[in-house]
Amino acid sequence: MGDGNVISKFGNLKAFLGIVAGAGASYGIYKLVSGTSFKKNKSITSESSVPKVTHGSISSQPGSLLAKVSELDVVRAGGSKAVDFVQSSDMVFKSPGSLEPQHLKMLLSLLQTTPSPSDRVQILITLGNTAAFTVNQDLIHEFGGIHIIAGFLSDPVPEVRVQTLNALNNLSLNLRNQEELKVYVVKVLELIEMSPVNSDLQIAALRLLTNLSVTDKHHHMLRGSITLLLSLLVVSNHLLQIQVLKVLVNLSSNPEMMDDIVQAQAPASVVLLFDVRTSSTVLLRLLTFAGNLKAWRPSAQVAEALRRRQDCLYRVLLDDSSQLHSRLIQLLSHPDGELRAQVAWVLS
């Protein structure tokens, strides 16, 4: 069955999905800190996401393709302290009624031809959930699906962009796919900057960046994003703070990134997050980030040059004038034993 005549063959999207199922298968602080918009210019964390089904114009009846694929769970690897590393090889492979290759081809073809935003959302959810499994990650790659899906990062409908990011996120669990996905890093950063703070768009985009920063290979592409991430850290809720910190922890585990990190402009209020009132899940990752920074040892000449830069992260967290040390001492009395141990590690 050719891809080109999918719509004419089945008449409409609902008919197609029924047949397949029957076959069994912007915020102010960053602007003030940076003064410009983002342009081109080891503690490891990784993410998987399987979004819930949102009901659009496509039927999601029990036993249908969408019902089979959309309700799947991805097994996430838990980490000790602030380590959450999930590779595709660690995921439980459990076929959702085994979508066949032609079904994925049809979905990709329909994604490009349907005029309905709600239909695009549903197709992206289905593709994203199938992409939670290694065999489908490979098939979508072979069919050119990564670039097809990524084309909807610029869709005018926010929910379409969210589900595009979710699908790309699961595809990024495959290291081969990351080679194709790296070309979209700048676009993903632009989405983070331009989207409302704490929005689903920001969270989905940061999850994708988390996976792309699991290895050192693509860290250089995020050199210009440090100020953006630090600015988000002080204005967002704890859910977004966790996503931001996962990326920062990954980057700070790479010694070659340290110069860029410590020189980045940073809000002075970053140090205020080291507080007993901060969520423990945020604090653990924040302490891992701080520990990575403190392990860096600049020369006396470099340290002196950084001290002259009033607004850089070095002055905020690492300089002798920083409040960080006194705040860490206070955290030694935190009721969470794991957190106290992390504080002691940073102070050592």
Side-chain angles (χ1 to χ4, degrees):
M1 185 182 299
D3 293 341
N5 63 353
V6 171
I7 298 298
S8 59
K9 182 75 176 178
F10 292 102
N12 58 50
L13 193 54
K14 291 181 182 179
F16 164 67
L17 289 173
I19 291 172
V20 172
S26 257
Y27 40 90
I29 289 185
Y30 171 63
K31 300 295 185 182
L32 291 173
V33 170
S34 66
T36 59
S37 298
F38 181 86
K39 302 294 181 184
K40 287 187 180 179
N41 222 270
K42 181 169 208 172
S43 178
I44 300 178
T45 307
S46 161
E47 287 284 331
S48 62
S49 69
V50 179
K52 295 181 180 178
V53 176
T54 56
H55 297 285
S57 62
I58 301 177
S59 175
S60 181
Q61 299 300 318
S64 70
L65 173 64
L66 285 177
K68 288 180 179 179
V69 177
S70 300
E71 297 303 323
L72 296 171
D73 292 326
V74 173
V75 175
R76 305 186 185 198
S80 61
K81 297 187 179 177
V83 181
D84 306 293
F85 183 35
V86 183
Q87 293 189 27
S88 57
S89 60
D90 297 324
M91 299 169 64
V92 173
F93 183 82
K94 182 179 179 182
S95 174
S98 294
L99 286 183
E100 296 182 11
Q102 65 266 27
H103 298 149
L104 293 174
K105 283 186 177 180
M106 291 174 187
L107 286 169
L108 290 168
S109 178
L110 285 168
L111 181 62
Q112 297 175 86
T113 55
T114 180
S116 167
S118 60
D119 287 354
R120 289 198 294 276
V121 166
Q122 292 298 97
I123 294 169
L124 285 164
I125 289 173
T126 302
L127 286 168
N129 287 346
T130 64
F133 304 98
T134 304
V135 64
N136 293 328
Q137 293 167 6
D138 293 334
L139 285 171
I140 291 172
H141 180 278
E142 291 172 15
F143 299 152
I146 291 176
H147 296 305
I148 292 172
I149 293 169
F152 292 89
L153 288 171
S154 299
D155 194 279
V157 179
E159 183 61 16
V160 173
R161 299 199 296 274
V162 169
Q163 299 306 337
T164 296
L165 288 163
N166 285 338
L168 295 177
N169 180 39
N170 281 349
L171 286 165
S172 71
L173 291 169
N174 183 311
L175 293 180
R176 183 177 69 153
N177 289 348
Q178 289 191 8
E179 285 301 306
E180 290 194 25
L181 285 166
K182 68 182 181 182
V183 302
Y184 301 105
V185 167
V186 171
K187 179 61 179 178
V188 172
L189 287 168
E190 290 175 348
L191 286 174
I192 292 171
E193 181 182 357
M194 301 308 296
S195 301
V197 178
N198 302 321
S199 63
D200 289 342
L201 263 169
Q202 284 192 331
I203 291 176
L206 285 163
R207 283 175 175 162
L208 178 56
L209 290 186
T210 299
N211 283 348
L212 292 178
S213 63
V214 160
T215 68
D216 296 353
K217 193 169 186 179
H218 308 304
H219 284 184
H220 65 283
M221 304 185 73
L222 296 172
R223 290 185 188 279
S225 69
I226 309 301
T227 292
L228 170 61
L229 295 173
L230 293 171
S231 300
L232 268 180
L233 195 56
V234 300
V235 299
S236 56
N237 61 28
H238 78 280
L239 293 176
L240 196 69
Q241 285 175 330
I242 289 172
Q243 298 304 322
V244 170
L245 283 165
K246 285 181 178 182
V247 180
L248 287 173
V249 166
N250 285 352
L251 296 179
S252 64
S253 68
N254 180 1
E256 294 184 4
M257 288 294 295
M258 201 57 68
D259 286 348
D260 298 279
I261 294 172
V262 298
Q263 293 182 65
Q265 291 177 301
S269 53
V270 167
V271 75
L272 301 181
L273 293 173
F274 293 85
D275 188 274
V276 69
R277 290 166 295 185
T278 299
S279 162
S280 293
T281 53
V282 171
L283 264 179
L284 282 170
R285 289 178 172 84
L286 192 62
L287 288 164
T288 301
F289 178 56
N292 288 346
L293 295 180
K294 288 177 72 67
W296 176 72
R297 295 289 185 267
S299 67
Q301 184 178 7
V302 169
E304 183 58 33
L306 288 169
R307 287 190 187 99
R308 291 195 290 268
R309 299 184 57 173
Q310 296 292 328
D311 57 354
C312 70
L313 185 62
Y314 180 87
R315 285 291 302 270
V316 173
L317 292 185
L318 299 179
D319 189 47
D320 292 340
S321 63
S322 171
Q323 299 177 33
L324 179 61
H325 183 80
S326 61
R327 286 183 165 272
L328 290 176
I329 296 297
Q330 293 174 17
L331 286 174
L332 284 173
S333 60
H334 197 284
D336 187 315
E338 182 182 5
L339 198 146
R340 290 197 305 272
Q342 192 81 342
V343 172
W345 168 69
V346 177
L347 285 170
S348 63

